[in-house]
């Protein structure tokens, strides 16, 4: 049923809580239908090809190296080895990776940090039960302030990218790739308008011009789609591997093997595509605990969802991906975390059930990027870090906050969630001149 909803654009379109239109802006491409939506999407598809994704890898690796070092600094220097809350650190890390991938170095580290800190207000404003108007000091008000700040930062990045690409700059991020295509399309139109007999090569995809704010709104939707989802996925991924050391050992061995034993070898697409077990661990994480478990749609006209029932126009339909991803007929023992199902089993053949990133005209553009990014992150971590998770009986239960996160124990210090979800880092040497990081997790 969920797949049918996703694949029925003539009857439904994605919808969110009313405040989302105010935060993301009513003219944002995700709220558009038909030709207007296609005008955006045809220029964005090329930003997630294999060739494009390889361009973004150096920026992602730069962020991971910086934050792995930062974890050591926070633990050893700032907190004397005492455990600290880990959720804010993961959210900042994934925000930094996203921003470097989306806008490169057009954005300062300080701006990235502020976005990571304030994005929680955007997520909170988009919860289903909220005050529907933007009155001062409400969640909607704080969310709108944060959204305005993000849009302003991305608009500044768009202006910088346009200037740099017009001057002959090379593509280093998603924004550059889109701006380059926009500018090539405009040059083609200008040459056609001027006439002449010289042959003119038409761009593969002819795009219209997009303003700084249109580009900003679009990049914001990428962050909107990725920030909470990747924070969720990375949290589960680290926890599962800590609780299952045999899986971590296999991931570490595979990552070292594809790098010929050199743990400092840089990311390449060839390396990432040569790690079937790491890929299986990521896919199983996304199946077992999909970050987004439901997507609301509004019915544009009477929608016959079955032979016996038609959903009236104006209704809301909320397909859930959970049943498809936990179907025992497709994924035997679905409540077990088993990466092997993606290697020796038939999980990869169940394409109709793989709804983690949706399907149909509004499927997630970044699904390949998201999986490769998680593979790159956990692969690098496996070679430079060790970590332990102090599990509780509710560790793999679910808490929902936009996406799903591990449940927390109600018996932490002062019964406070941030007090309970803590980790500590300490450095140790496994061999001369080879240092690793040991992480103790205090989460439920």
């Amino acid at each position: 049923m969920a797949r049918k909803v996703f694949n029925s654009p003539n009857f439904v379109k994605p919808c969110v809580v009313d405040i989302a239109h105010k935060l993301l802006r009513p003219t944002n491409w995700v709220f558009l239908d038909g030709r207007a939506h296609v005008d955006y999407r045809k220029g964005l598809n090329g930003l997630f090809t294999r060739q494009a994704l390889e361009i973004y890898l150096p920026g992602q690796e730069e962020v991971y190296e910086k934050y792995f070092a930062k974890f050591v600094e926070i633990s050893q220097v700032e907190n004397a080895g005492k455990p600290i809350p880990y959720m804010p650190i993961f959210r900042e890390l994934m925000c930094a990776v996203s921003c470097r991938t989306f806008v490169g170095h057009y954005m300062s580290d300080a701006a990235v940090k502020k976005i990571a800190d304030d994005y929680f207000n955007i997520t909170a404003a988009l919860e289903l039960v909220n005050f529907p108007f933007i009155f001062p000091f409400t969640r909607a008000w704080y969310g709108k302030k944060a959204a305005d700040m993000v849009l302003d930062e991305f608009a500044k990045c768009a202006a910088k990218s346009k200037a740099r690409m017009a001057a002959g700059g090379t593509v280093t991020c998603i924004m550059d790739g889109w701006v380059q295509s926009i500018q090539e399309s405009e040059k083609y139109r200008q040459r056609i308008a001027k006439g002449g007999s010289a042959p003119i090569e038409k761009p593969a995809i002819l795009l219209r011009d997009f303003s700084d704010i249109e580009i900003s709104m679009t990049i914001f939707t990428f962050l909107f789609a990725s920030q909470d989802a990747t924070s969720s996925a990375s949290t589960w991924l680290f926890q599962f591997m800590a609780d299952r050391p045999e899986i971590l050992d296999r991931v570490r061995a595979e990552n070292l093997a594809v790098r010929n034993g050199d743990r400092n070898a840089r990311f390449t697409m060839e390396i990432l595509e040569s790690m079937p077990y790491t890929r299986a661990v990521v896919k199983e994480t996304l199946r077992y605990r999909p970050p987004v478990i439901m997507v609301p749609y509004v019915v544009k006209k009477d929608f016959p969802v079955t032979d016996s029932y038609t959903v009236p126009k104006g209704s809301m339909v909320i397909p859930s991906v959970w049943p498809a991803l936990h179907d025992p007929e497709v994924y035997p023992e679905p409540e077990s975390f088993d990466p092997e199902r993606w290697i020796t089993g038939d999980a990869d053949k169940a394409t109709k059930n793989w709804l983690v990133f949706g399907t149909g005209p509004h499927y997630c553009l970044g699904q390949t990027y998201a999986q490769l990014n998680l593979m790159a992150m956990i692969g690098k971590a496996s070679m430079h870090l060790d970590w332990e998770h102090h599990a509780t009986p509710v560790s793999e239960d679910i808490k929902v906050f936009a996406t799903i996160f591990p449940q927390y124990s109600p018996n932490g210090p002062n019964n406070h969630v941030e007090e309970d979800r803590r980790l500590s880092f300490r450095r140790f040497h496994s061999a001369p001149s080879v240092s690793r990081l040991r992480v103790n997790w205090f989460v439920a």
Side-chain angles (χ1 to χ4, degrees):
M1 184 62 71
R3 190 175 184 85
K4 180 173 184 177
V5 175
F6 288 142
N7 284 303
S8 300
N10 291 332
F11 292 98
V12 298
K13 67 176 181 178
C15 70
V16 286
V17 293
D18 183 65
I19 194 67
H21 294 82
K22 299 180 176 69
L23 269 59
L24 299 176
R25 301 296 189 271
T27 57
N28 197 301
W29 78 291
V30 295
F31 301 133
L32 302 179
D33 256 347
R35 177 64 180 272
H37 182 83
V38 171
D39 277 347
Y40 277 87
R41 200 171 189 96
K42 69 180 182 181
L44 301 177
N45 286 329
L47 305 178
F48 296 93
T49 63
R50 183 186 188 279
Q51 181 180 4
L53 293 177
E54 187 151 32
I55 293 173
Y56 316 143
L57 290 178
Q60 293 164 24
E61 187 155 29
E62 172 192 327
V63 172
Y64 287 126
E65 289 177 340
K66 174 183 175 181
Y67 273 84
F68 289 164
K70 184 175 181 179
F71 294 165
V72 178
E73 178 76 10
I74 291 173
S75 180
Q76 294 181 346
V77 178
E78 298 179 17
N79 291 278
K82 296 179 181 179
I84 59 173
Y86 80 94
M87 286 298 300
I89 298 173
F90 271 126
R91 288 180 68 88
E92 183 181 336
L93 166 62
M94 300 318 294
C95 183
V97 171
S98 294
C99 286
R100 286 290 172 256
T101 303
F102 301 158
V103 301
H105 283 277
Y106 298 124
M107 182 179 290
S108 69
D109 289 347
V112 171
K113 179 68 164 63
K114 181 167 179 55
I115 290 175
D117 290 343
D118 289 3
Y119 199 89
F120 181 90
N121 291 328
I122 297 173
T123 304
L126 293 171
E127 286 194 294
L128 288 176
V129 180
N130 253 331
F131 201 70
F133 305 107
I134 301 178
F135 289 155
F137 309 113
T138 61
R139 287 184 176 182
W141 183 76
Y142 284 115
K144 180 65 162 56
K145 283 172 64 68
D148 289 347
M149 178 271 293
V150 174
L151 285 168
D152 182 58
E153 289 293 339
F154 283 152
K156 293 175 184 176
C157 292
K160 293 175 184 177
S161 178
K162 285 180 177 180
R164 179 173 168 274
M165 299 309 294
T170 57
V171 174
T172 61
C173 60
I174 284 177
M175 184 177 281
D176 282 346
W178 192 18
V179 167
Q180 183 183 70
S181 296
I182 293 169
Q183 292 180 345
E184 288 176 348
S185 295
E186 180 58 27
K187 289 178 183 177
Y188 173 79
R189 282 190 290 268
Q190 291 178 0
R191 291 176 65 188
I192 290 294
K194 291 179 180 178
S197 57
I200 302 173
E201 183 177 353
K202 184 178 180 180
I205 299 177
L206 199 60
L207 304 179
R208 70 169 177 83
D209 189 32
F210 289 87
S211 67
D212 292 350
I213 189 61
E214 286 178 317
I215 293 174
S216 174
M217 287 191 296
T218 303
I219 298 298
F220 188 12
T221 63
F222 292 169
L223 184 64
F224 176 74
S226 67
Q227 175 60 13
D228 289 310
T230 56
S231 297
S232 167
S234 61
T235 300
W236 288 111
L237 188 54
F238 271 92
Q239 178 174 305
F240 293 155
M241 291 180 67
D243 292 344
R244 299 161 176 84
E246 71 283 0
I247 292 178
L248 174 56
D249 288 344
R250 286 187 63 178
V251 168
R252 178 179 289 119
E254 181 177 70
N255 275 265
L256 285 171
V258 297
R259 291 169 172 82
N260 296 316
D262 180 6
R263 71 177 65 201
N264 295 311
R266 315 306 289 175
F267 293 153
T268 66
M269 287 297 290
E270 184 178 1
I271 283 177
L272 293 176
E273 291 171 347
S274 301
M275 303 191 306
Y277 191 73
T278 306
R279 171 183 176 272
V281 171
V282 167
K283 293 206 71 168
E284 181 66 354
T285 298
L286 296 174
R287 182 206 66 81
Y288 184 57
R289 290 294 183 265
V292 179
I293 56 177
M294 61 187 72
V295 183
Y297 279 73
V298 65
V299 179
K300 299 189 292 184
K301 61 181 181 181
D302 290 355
F303 180 22
V305 290
T306 68
D307 292 338
S308 60
Y309 184 70
T310 296
V311 181
K313 175 183 177 180
S315 302
M316 181 179 287
V317 179
I318 307 179
S320 173
V321 305
W322 186 274
L325 294 168
H326 288 74
D327 183 349
E329 295 185 5
V330 178
Y331 305 108
E333 298 184 37
E335 298 308 318
S336 296
F337 183 83
D338 180 17
E340 199 66 34
R341 73 174 81 242
W342 299 95
I343 297 175
T344 61
D346 295 328
D348 254 334
K349 298 177 182 178
T351 55
K352 289 186 176 181
N353 283 66
W354 181 248
L355 297 178
V356 173
F357 299 96
T359 186
H362 289 276
Y363 75 92
C364 177
L365 280 172
Q367 59 179 302
T368 301
Y369 156 72
Q371 293 173 83
L372 289 174
N373 181 37
L374 291 170
M375 289 172 61
M377 176 193 69
I378 206 64
K380 191 171 186 69
S382 73
M383 295 182 297
H384 295 273
L385 316 178
D386 275 336
W387 55 96
E388 294 180 6
H389 172 224
H390 292 252
T392 75
V394 297
S395 289
E396 293 190 14
D397 290 349
I398 292 170
K399 176 177 175 61
V400 179
F401 181 66
T403 51
I404 65 173
F405 289 94
Q407 184 60 272
Y408 61 91
S409 168
N411 299 316
N414 301 321
N415 293 325
H416 192 277
V417 58
E418 293 297 353
E419 297 264 352
D420 190 50
R421 291 176 170 177
R422 300 172 73 84
L423 56 82
S424 65
F425 302 81
R426 61 181 181 270
R427 187 184 296 276
F428 72 98
H429 298 276
S430 59
S433 301
V434 179
S435 62
R436 294 189 297 174
L437 177 68
R438 189 169 187 80
V439 184
N440 285 326
W441 297 73
F442 293 87
V443 323

